[in-house]
Amino acid sequence: MANDTSEKTPLLDNEDDSSEYRRSREQVKSLYLKASSQKSGIIAPEDLYCRNTINISASNSNFQDIKEADYIVAIFVVAFDTRTGNIIEWCKPEDSDLDGVEFKAMASGSHTILKDFIYFKKDNLYGLSCFENMPVESELERGARMKSVGILATSYTSLYRHMQFLENQVRHQLETPGRYDQLKAFWEDRKGSLPMSNPGRSLLSPMTEIPRADMRITHPAGCFSQFLKFFGEQIFVLWKYALLRRRILFFSPPPIGVVCYRVYCACCLARHTIPEIPEKPLKPHFYVNIADIDRLETEVSYLACTTEKIFQEKSHLYDVYVDNQNVETHIPSLQDMLRLNDSDRDKYSKLLNQRSEELYSRDIEDDEVADDEQVFITFFTEQNNRIFQTLLDVASTSDRTLTMDHMRSMGLDPIRDRQFVMDLVELHGIDVMLVIDNPCCGV
């Protein structure tokens, strides 16, 4: 279902790839500068990598600042070899299991662009890499030198803090190949910060992601506002699929970095705080390629993005396929949810109004980059709480009948959201009976 693109947005402008990359990078740098300004003295952004902790504060956010420790378990350099393809050129620790990382850190199709950044998942670890393609006068390299520098960590939520360092290092590796002193220093500074109950445990052994008390304040300012502008009202189509814990795959040609942010934003659509409904966070795989097919076949719920068009033909791997702004599904029971209804449009208007009120209360100028994470997550958490609490309340009554008034009170269309509610109560095992008073009358 295509959205009206007559009004251009930062992600839709017909600019070259480097312009889009620069916009995202400038938003990353704004966080570094804000963090630096809150300390005594000025700290250069490129010097932040050597600190054990850093004061994190999303731009224009009211969230309390938090301190995060790093859990980096590997650092690596990926290069494109004209004879053998993508290779791991260098890594620390030297015995790291980086099988397949060479194809994740340098996305398929990267040769068509100059720069990119990529989030990805490797087993139970998360990675971030910065890629650059530099023209060279070399027949052996066929006129282009392409490399990525990246890290692996136990959590994706603090990876962005190292993006500037990785970006500087990939340029360094392109200009002076084989000099790894700064990467070694980074590794020596970081490798001891992973807390382990068993000192003999391998850093790269299988582990679950270290839980975080607050997983917000994690991505550059502007991430959520771009997501909102890019999808517009269709955000509520994605919201329903996310709340139903469906397998959602985003496709886009390179650059893929901004699409990784869309994966993260979509993960936030299903948040709630109702204790009776166990919250099972959606799994963000971020960038995936054909080497991930076996793994994706075993997943019952995930969000991911890819640059490989071949995935569209493998519909058994996904429930929902998002090609830029076109949302598609091959599952009959989900197809009615592709069509927006008046309740969806009403929720979208309320979301925009809440955002405007928040920006006004914070006195944000039109040309400033606003961080909408607080507004975004609060809105969807409250919306989801309202739905789940209403369903639980109805389930506790003697007749367990969900009426049209109940549907309206949840902000849903009594007719067109019926399948959505049926799937939702089945997913969570909520015992209610859905009754439509006047099924012959459209809403």
Side-chain angles (χ1 to χ4, degrees):
M1 179 176 178
N3 192 36
D4 181 12
T5 60
S6 59
E7 182 178 349
K8 295 293 184 180
T9 70
L11 294 183
L12 300 176
D13 291 341
N14 295 321
E15 299 177 354
D16 59 27
D17 297 328
S18 61
S19 297
E20 184 173 26
Y21 179 87
R22 251 190 330 269
R23 276 194 304 274
S24 299
R25 288 296 305 117
E26 288 168 357
Q27 292 163 7
V28 173
K29 292 177 182 178
S30 71
L31 284 183
Y32 282 104
L33 296 175
K34 188 174 191 298
S36 301
S37 65
Q38 292 171 342
K39 296 178 178 288
S40 59
I42 301 299
I43 303 173
E46 60 268 24
D47 292 336
L48 291 176
Y49 83 90
C50 65
R51 292 181 172 268
N52 291 327
T53 59
I54 177 176
N55 203 25
I56 298 298
S57 176
S59 177
N60 301 316
S61 173
N62 291 327
F63 289 134
Q64 183 178 3
D65 290 354
I66 58 175
K67 292 221 174 189
E68 294 183 272
D70 280 326
Y71 305 106
I72 296 173
V73 297
I75 186 168
F76 56 85
V77 178
V78 169
F80 177 76
D81 187 284
T82 55
R83 293 164 297 183
T84 59
N86 295 12
I87 60 170
I88 301 291
E89 176 183 293
W90 176 91
C91 68
K92 285 288 184 180
E94 295 177 356
D95 59 349
S96 300
D97 175 13
L98 298 178
D99 183 40
V101 167
E102 65 270 31
F103 299 106
K104 288 180 173 288
M106 191 179 294
S108 176
S110 292
H111 64 281
T112 63
I113 59 175
L114 296 178
K115 288 185 176 183
D116 201 2
F117 60 95
I118 306 152
Y119 284 81
F120 61 90
K121 189 175 184 182
K122 159 67 175 169
D123 299 327
N124 290 320
L125 301 173
Y126 288 91
L128 170 64
S129 65
C130 285
F131 163 84
E132 188 167 348
N133 179 353
M134 184 178 77
V136 293
E137 295 181 1
S138 168
E139 293 185 4
L140 181 63
E141 295 177 282
R142 299 177 186 172
R145 183 177 300 159
M146 293 178 281
K147 294 193 179 189
S148 286
V149 176
I151 53 178
L152 280 177
T154 55
S155 171
Y156 61 84
T157 57
S158 62
L159 287 173
Y160 82 93
R161 298 189 297 138
H162 306 289
M163 190 179 290
Q164 177 136 5
F165 172 74
L166 297 176
E167 184 186 46
N168 291 340
Q169 286 303 303
V170 72
R171 167 55 61 168
H172 178 66
Q173 290 300 315
L174 289 170
E175 294 177 345
T176 55
R179 299 188 61 176
Y180 310 114
D181 293 347
Q182 294 178 38
L183 295 175
K184 290 177 182 177
F186 177 93
W187 170 249
E188 290 300 322
D189 180 63
R190 294 296 186 178
K191 67 177 181 178
S193 61
L194 178 65
M196 295 187 297
S197 57
N198 180 1
R201 181 181 183 184
S202 170
L203 287 177
L204 286 179
S205 62
M207 63 182 75
T208 57
E209 184 179 349
I210 294 176
R212 288 275 310 282
D214 187 343
M215 293 184 67
R216 293 172 295 191
I217 315 179
T218 53
H219 283 274
C223 169
F224 286 87
S225 61
Q226 289 188 15
F227 182 72
L228 189 61
K229 291 177 182 177
F230 188 76
F231 287 107
E233 294 176 339
Q234 281 195 112
I235 196 172
F236 285 96
V237 174
L238 295 173
W239 164 68
K240 292 173 188 177
Y241 294 143
L243 208 54
L244 293 175
R245 299 186 52 74
R246 289 296 185 166
R247 300 173 299 168
I248 303 174
L249 181 64
F250 293 82
F251 166 81
S252 176
I256 198 66
V258 291
V259 190
C260 290
Y261 287 159
R262 292 174 203 163
V263 169
Y264 171 73
C265 291
C267 283
C268 298
L269 295 173
R271 290 189 180 182
H272 69 83
T273 58
I274 302 298
E276 293 87 352
I277 305 292
E279 187 176 21
K280 302 174 182 178
L282 289 166
K283 293 182 179 180
H285 284 251
F286 298 107
Y287 174 72
V288 295
N289 55 31
I290 57 173
D292 295 296
I293 287 179
D294 290 344
R295 184 181 183 96
L296 293 179
E297 284 179 331
T298 67
E299 297 285 6
V300 296
S301 174
Y302 72 82
L303 284 116
C305 60
T306 187
T307 61
E308 301 187 14
K309 194 70 173 178
I310 192 173
F311 272 93
Q312 187 173 19
E313 303 171 7
K314 301 182 179 298
S315 58
H316 67 287
L317 295 175
Y318 60 84
D319 301 321
V320 179
Y321 186 82
V322 186
D323 185 343
N324 283 302
Q325 291 171 299
N326 298 319
V327 184
E328 308 168 1
T329 179
H330 57 88
I331 298 178
S333 64
L334 298 180
Q335 289 174 354
D336 281 346
M337 300 177 203
L338 288 172
R339 292 194 290 270
L340 290 165
N341 56 55
D342 289 341
S343 295
D344 295 326
R345 296 184 181 93
D346 182 58
K347 288 191 290 287
Y348 181 67
S349 295
K350 289 179 179 177
L351 175 57
L352 294 183
N353 289 338
Q354 285 192 23
R355 178 177 181 268
S356 296
E357 291 172 2
E358 180 67 18
L359 296 182
Y360 179 78
S361 67
R362 288 191 262 132
D363 195 25
I364 303 297
E365 299 293 338
D366 291 340
D367 58 349
E368 290 188 50
V369 175
D371 174 28
D372 292 304
E373 188 165 7
Q374 180 182 14
V375 176
F376 189 90
I377 292 178
T378 298
F379 178 90
F380 282 98
T381 299
E382 291 177 351
Q383 173 64 46
N384 298 338
N385 286 351
R386 185 181 307 113
I387 290 176
F388 285 127
Q389 191 59 61
T390 300
L391 294 174
L392 291 172
D393 290 345
V394 171
S396 66
T397 63
S398 57
D399 62 359
R400 305 189 308 280
T401 301
L402 191 70
T403 67
M404 294 181 74
D405 287 339
H406 289 129
M407 293 284 285
R408 293 189 185 97
S409 71
M410 293 187 292
L412 300 175
D413 188 299
I415 305 297
R416 295 178 181 172
D417 283 327
R418 177 173 183 170
Q419 185 64 52
F420 166 63
V421 173
M422 290 172 62
D423 291 350
L424 192 64
V425 297
E426 181 181 0
L427 175 65
H428 293 283
I430 304 174
D431 188 11
V432 299
M433 294 185 296
L434 182 59
V435 175
I436 301 300
D437 297 340
N438 296 301
C440 63
C441 301
V443 176

